Amino acid sequence: MTAAPHTLRTDHLSDPLGIDQQHPDLAWMVTTGTQRAHQIQAATAPGLLAAGTCDLWDSGRLPGAAHAGVRYAGKAPGARQRVWWRVRVWGDEGPSPWSAAATWETGLPTEDDWSGARWITAPGLGAGDRLPLLARDFTLPDAPVRARLYATALGVYEAFVNGTRAGDALLEPGCTAYDQRLLYATYDITDALRAGPNTVGISLGNGIARVLDTDGRYTKLRADHGDPRALVLLYAEFADGTSTTLVSDEHWSAAPGPVTVSAWFGGEEHDARLEQADWHRPGADRGGWRPAVAAPLPGAVALTARAHPPIEVVETLTPVALSEPRPGVHVFDLGVNIAGRPRLDVTGPAGTSVVIRPAELLAPDGTVNQRFTGTPCFDRYTLRGDPDGESWHPATVYHGFRYLQVEGLPAPPAPDAVRGEVMRVANTRAGGFRCSSDLLNGIHRLIDRAVQGNMYSVLTDCPHREKLGWLEQAHLVFPAVVGGYDVAAYYRKLVRDMADAQTDTGLVPDIAPEYTVFEDKFRDDANWGGAIVLAPWWLHRTYGDTATLRAHYPHMLRYLAHLDSRSRDGAGLILEHGLGDWIAFDDSTPKAVTATFALQRILAALGDIAEAIGRTGDAAAHRARAAAVARAFHAEFSDPRHPTYGSGSQACDALALAAGAVPEEERAAVLDHLVAGIRAAGDHVTVGEIALPSLLRVLSDGDRDDVVLDLLSRTDNPSYGYQLAHGATALTERWDGPTRGSSQNHYMLGAAAEWLTGSLAGLRQAADSVAYERIVVRPAPVGELTCASAWYDTPRGRASVAWHRTPEAFRLTVTLPPGADSRVELPLPGGGRDVREVPPGSHEFTVPGEWGPDA
């Protein structure tokens, strides 16, 4: 009998709570064999589902192997409805049993579902005032059997029910274009409520929605969408079938809270003497509180459910060292560069003011250096004088740091008096890599740490100086992000941010959300704005997500029209504007090369996207244009005297090869020219972030993984190894970042992660595959490396590769998830490959022979 499906997901999430979609995407995994058909049932109660009485949907038997991106086609469940669903499949051994039931629950998808709820804030609130607290007492006749809190804010908020935080999410509601869209979250508060008195409370902060000059603190930009305010709806059901609803309105109370400064870039100040004990619990003394006031938003703003994992604390780090470079100035070293917040444990007299300055680097005298991350930036905590000690962390901001300089402590600190709480979007770990080289493992670790440090509600460039969503990274370094984390739901949000940022003329700016408007090339570069096409295409390729393609295909076409308007003579063949190969050592690469490369990639992806969504006529037209751009690239930039392009830089050759602009009969010569350029540079890259992914791919595709290994094995400047050798613990902004300064937590140069897993270990998706239907295992045992391994949780299940070589044999172990037959390309000691088609499952291969270095 065919085994039952498992790992059911709705819109790429497990049992999501509070989504807007009435017809979400469904997905599941099968254990073995080939799926030939499936059947889905959905109902409003588990008993109905178990009995086969499906009041929402019974798909009947549907033919085909689809197991991801299957659209729910039943009745729209409406608001606040939990849906139970299950699936069975037909395989080689007949029908399977039904899967265990999974669920999803809708939130408040329409404006009418929020009926009665009003935006509220504290009366008379000014820009420099203490940040407000909002509270509402209410009584319930009984403990509910189901209760939900729906909440959002302009700014950031924390929600409390009877004194307990509603969930683990931080810095809600997440960054969006605040004049267009706000995210709301749904919290299960069933266990927090009780019969009798109850209280719901909201504390507010500014977030990036309000960034003003604050006491001379550092700020990257200025924005003011208005006073922080909240919108709340609480819904509770009881065992007798009745329900009650509580909404935010003027019946709530408001008071200034203990947060006196909430500066997104500059830090937070909290005066514990101003705390009101148990303010969010029943029976609290609110004698000085005033009625909340209505604070409607100035324009129409969409409320959208947060349908991706929230920001959470994922790790807490204890300092590895403590120093006192000046009397009373203590510097805690966490040993690794992170994004998150400090946590302070302190005991002292009331009124004692403790300042915490986060930084990535130290000055020569041992104090912190904020020059490259924005100065001044600091948090301040003023003690209330609790003799049992006080514990505090900022609640409305986050920072990027390795070092925490603490000033004003009332007594010499314990080594762990300050710790670092690592925060990021809680995307599940989805992959890993190891090999026999400590250097290569260190490079992978650098990249992964930088991905973590920028995986917030916006995929940022850095967690300190800018905190902005520069878009080129979202697609150029997608393999590094997806290789470590499940970002299927998360990337949908990022793509929607891009669409929200698109202008009336079709321009997609270089950052999204567009919190500040940059000029010219810093706003309009096809390698940045092209993310509106290329990020959804990566999503589809990796997870089988066609819904995002369909939803944003019109935005893609509008962006293409914009590019056509910027092309030379409007012909849509050569682009000349943009930032070029950003942060390259060799700046000779013409900007027209990088821009036209982007245009070709966008058109090629559009061809595949149009085919995937059934627009076959469009697909042919896009592909014809992509081919025309490749020919124009060759005609414009090829050197008739030498097998090279443009200025002859590494970037020019790599981009020409990656764009398919080099005629087949000339590809080997151009690749040789590229390799010669690398050798002439002492096995160093001279490229920037735009050309780097293409450089590594074309070398690997051309069987020159030995050259890539030589690049990655360097420890002098410029190289990844240089960063490691000079103390970097996360990938830096520039190749020589640790000694030049600049950000110590940037992931934009993270393309090496793709080579480490996909080429060195050899685990990659086939070029013609979607959602890992078909895998290619093609390890590259180059240099003196003796082993490498990688694993990845594909949408079909875990795939893994591990190889080991001795002087006498090369051994490979492969595990392939259910799907089509995959290809294993075994390296041979004398060169060449033994290519085999293998079915899903576990396989072991041994290739005897003489396996010395570079065999």
Side-chain angles (χ1 to χ4, degrees):
M1 177 184 291
T2 301
H6 61 94
T7 316
L8 277 60
R9 308 236 295 174
T10 304
D11 273 350
H12 303 298
L13 298 168
S14 298
D15 298 328
L17 186 68
I19 64 173
D20 284 338
Q21 281 289 348
Q22 297 292 294
H23 296 89
D25 285 346
L26 306 178
W28 56 89
M29 294 183 186
V30 297
T31 302
T32 58
T34 301
Q35 177 185 312
R36 305 189 184 283
H38 67 271
Q39 180 181 5
I40 300 170
Q41 292 183 338
T44 57
L48 293 175
L49 188 66
T53 309
C54 302
D55 56 342
L56 289 177
W57 190 36
D58 188 333
S59 70
R61 176 173 170 163
L62 300 174
H67 72 103
V70 179
R71 187 172 183 266
Y72 166 74
K75 297 177 183 177
R80 300 194 307 265
Q81 177 63 59
R82 174 164 283 192
V83 177
W84 280 261
W85 70 283
R86 63 182 183 177
V87 61
R88 63 175 174 173
V89 300
W90 282 260
D92 296 332
E93 298 178 357
S96 75
W98 287 103
S99 68
T103 66
W104 82 82
E105 184 174 309
T106 55
L108 305 178
T110 72
E111 185 176 350
D112 288 344
D113 297 324
W114 290 87
S115 179
R118 304 184 67 179
W119 286 96
I120 58 172
T121 191
L125 188 63
D129 292 346
R130 291 156 53 188
L131 279 298
L133 306 176
L134 303 170
R136 177 73 154 88
D137 295 326
F138 58 101
T139 300
L140 294 179
D142 201 352
V145 295
R146 185 173 75 120
R148 303 290 184 260
L149 181 70
Y150 307 92
T152 187
L154 181 65
V156 295
Y157 73 91
E158 287 188 307
F160 302 86
V161 178
N162 292 334
T164 301
R165 289 190 73 247
D168 297 324
L170 303 172
L171 299 178
E172 294 279 71
C175 297
T176 53
Y178 297 114
D179 57 347
Q180 298 181 59
R181 186 185 308 276
L182 279 163
L183 303 181
Y184 73 90
T186 303
Y187 305 93
D188 183 348
I189 58 170
T190 308
D191 294 338
L193 295 178
R194 59 200 180 207
N198 293 269
T199 301
V200 59
I202 301 287
S203 63
L204 292 171
N206 287 322
I208 202 171
R210 171 170 268 188
V211 182
L212 307 174
D213 291 319
T214 306
D215 300 330
R217 292 171 186 256
Y218 169 74
T219 182
K220 170 65 178 178
L221 54 91
R222 286 159 183 80
D224 191 1
H225 291 274
D227 296 335
R229 65 201 73 184
L231 183 72
V232 180
L233 188 148
L234 185 152
Y235 176 79
E237 293 179 359
F238 305 99
D240 62 1
T242 62
S243 64
T244 188
T245 299
L246 177 80
V247 296
S248 50
D249 57 21
E250 292 87 341
H251 293 98
W252 286 53
S253 299
V259 176
T260 59
V261 173
S262 173
W264 189 246
F265 295 97
E268 178 181 305
E269 296 198 15
H270 181 111
D271 189 339
R273 297 171 302 176
L274 303 175
E275 293 175 352
Q276 302 188 43
D278 298 328
W279 67 272
H280 38 37
R281 297 180 186 274
D285 180 6
R286 298 199 186 88
W289 290 52
R290 301 167 62 189
V293 296
L297 297 176
V301 176
L303 292 179
T304 302
R306 173 177 48 73
H308 62 275
I311 297 168
E312 295 180 359
V313 171
V314 297
E315 183 181 7
T316 299
L317 299 180
T318 300
V320 298
L322 170 60
S323 62
E324 189 175 6
R326 296 176 186 168
V329 175
H330 299 88
V331 176
F332 295 79
D333 178 4
L334 297 175
V336 66
N337 202 323
I338 68 168
R341 65 191 185 188
R343 177 176 284 276
L344 170 69
D345 293 313
V346 63
T347 303
T352 302
S353 182
V354 179
V355 170
I356 305 175
R357 301 182 189 276
E360 295 185 320
L361 298 170
L362 294 179
D365 66 355
T367 60
V368 294
N369 176 7
Q370 294 182 335
R371 176 185 173 191
F372 304 104
T373 54
T375 185
C377 171
F378 59 92
D379 301 319
R380 186 193 304 274
Y381 178 69
T382 302
L383 279 66
R384 62 180 174 271
D386 189 335
D388 295 326
E390 304 171 40
S391 183
W392 174 80
H393 57 72
T396 67
V397 301
Y398 77 101
H399 309 292
F401 58 94
R402 171 177 172 172
Y403 303 97
L404 294 167
Q405 179 171 301
V406 184
E407 306 160 12
L409 287 169
D416 61 350
V418 178
R419 287 164 289 164
E421 295 187 335
V422 182
M423 297 161 53
R424 63 169 172 83
V425 171
N427 293 318
T428 304
R429 172 69 71 174
F433 164 84
R434 292 291 296 175
C435 73
S436 57
S437 166
D438 290 341
L439 174 60
L440 297 185
N441 292 335
I443 292 171
H444 190 269
R445 186 173 61 251
L446 283 183
I447 296 168
D448 179 69
R449 201 40 111 162
V451 168
Q452 289 192 51
N454 289 283
M455 199 157 51
Y456 276 67
S457 60
V458 173
L459 195 52
T460 59
D461 61 325
C462 61
H464 35 65
R465 187 183 70 229
E466 296 194 12
K467 301 182 180 180
L468 297 175
W470 290 93
L471 296 183
E472 87 290 6
Q473 304 168 108
H475 66 91
L476 286 172
V477 200
F478 182 90
V481 180
V482 75
Y485 303 91
D486 177 1
V487 294
Y490 174 60
Y491 253 74
R492 282 185 162 187
K493 186 269 182 187
L494 302 182
V495 173
R496 189 178 60 219
D497 288 340
M498 300 173 202
D500 286 348
Q502 189 169 34
T503 69
D504 292 341
T505 65
L507 165 71
V508 175
D510 289 5
I511 60 171
E514 193 177 24
Y515 291 129
T516 186
V517 177
F518 294 114
E519 296 182 0
D520 190 32
K521 59 189 179 183
F522 288 98
R523 194 185 192 214
D524 188 5
D525 185 307
N527 280 296
W528 275 252
I532 190 67
V533 175
L534 298 167
W537 176 238
W538 275 115
L539 262 184
H540 174 69
R541 278 263 295 143
T542 306
Y543 301 108
D545 185 344
T546 57
T548 301
L549 299 183
R550 294 182 190 279
H552 296 291
Y553 186 66
H555 297 99
M556 301 175 193
L557 295 183
R558 289 178 56 215
Y559 182 64
L560 180 61
H562 166 76
L563 293 181
D564 288 346
S565 73
R566 293 297 311 267
S567 64
R568 182 188 296 174
D569 301 325
L573 296 176
I574 300 292
L575 288 179
E576 298 176 312
H577 67 283
L579 290 165
D581 191 19
W582 185 247
I583 66 131
F585 271 77
D586 180 351
D587 60 4
S588 69
T589 301
K591 292 180 180 178
V593 167
T594 55
T596 305
F597 162 77
L599 177 60
Q600 194 279 335
R601 286 195 74 212
I602 289 165
L603 284 164
L606 276 170
D608 293 337
I609 289 168
E611 180 177 304
I613 62 176
R615 303 283 292 265
T616 54
D618 285 7
H622 294 318
R623 286 167 174 160
R625 281 199 58 193
V629 170
R631 291 192 297 271
F633 188 110
H634 176 74
E636 180 78 14
F637 302 116
S638 63
D639 187 331
R641 301 164 299 169
H642 305 287
T644 188
Y645 286 76
S647 66
S649 67
Q650 294 178 16
C652 288
D653 286 347
L655 295 175
L657 288 163
V662 183
E664 187 62 34
E665 65 274 13
E666 299 176 21
R667 289 184 66 85
V670 174
L671 181 64
D672 287 345
H673 186 272
L674 172 60
V675 170
I678 293 171
R679 298 304 193 200
D683 288 333
H684 291 105
V685 295
T686 62
V687 301
E689 63 161 328
I690 304 303
L692 181 61
S694 293
L695 177 79
L696 301 181
R697 287 172 193 158
V698 299
L699 287 171
S700 187
D701 291 346
D703 288 325
R704 295 312 307 265
D705 292 296
D706 60 315
V707 179
V708 179
L709 179 64
D710 290 342
L711 289 172
L712 298 190
S713 297
R714 303 299 307 188
T715 57
D716 53 345
N717 184 38
S719 69
Y720 292 105
Y722 181 84
Q723 297 186 25
L724 283 167
H726 289 82
T729 58
L731 193 62
T732 68
E733 182 178 9
R734 298 177 180 273
W735 289 114
D736 54 355
T739 54
R740 177 173 177 169
S742 73
S743 166
Q744 304 297 295
N745 198 337
H746 257 68
Y747 79 101
M748 67 182 179
L749 293 175
E754 178 183 1
W755 181 83
L756 291 171
T757 57
S759 295
L760 179 58
L763 178 61
R764 65 177 75 175
Q765 182 175 199
D768 59 352
S769 169
V770 171
Y772 285 81
E773 167 70 15
R774 182 169 159 79
I775 290 171
V776 172
V777 176
R778 192 178 189 274
V782 289
E784 297 184 357
L785 297 171
T786 58
C787 64
S789 62
W791 61 272
Y792 181 61
D793 285 335
T794 81
R796 300 172 183 276
R798 178 162 295 189
S800 65
V801 169
W803 62 260
H804 178 78
R805 66 170 171 174
T806 65
E808 297 80 23
F810 175 87
R811 294 179 173 84
L812 175 69
T813 301
V814 177
T815 300
L816 301 169
D821 287 355
S822 291
R823 188 169 76 247
V824 174
E825 300 185 13
L826 292 167
L828 300 175
R833 299 266 175 178
D834 177 4
V835 180
R836 307 183 184 187
E837 294 290 314
V838 299
S842 295
H843 307 273
E844 293 186 3
F845 305 91
T846 299
V847 183
E850 295 183 6
W851 284 94
D854 288 319

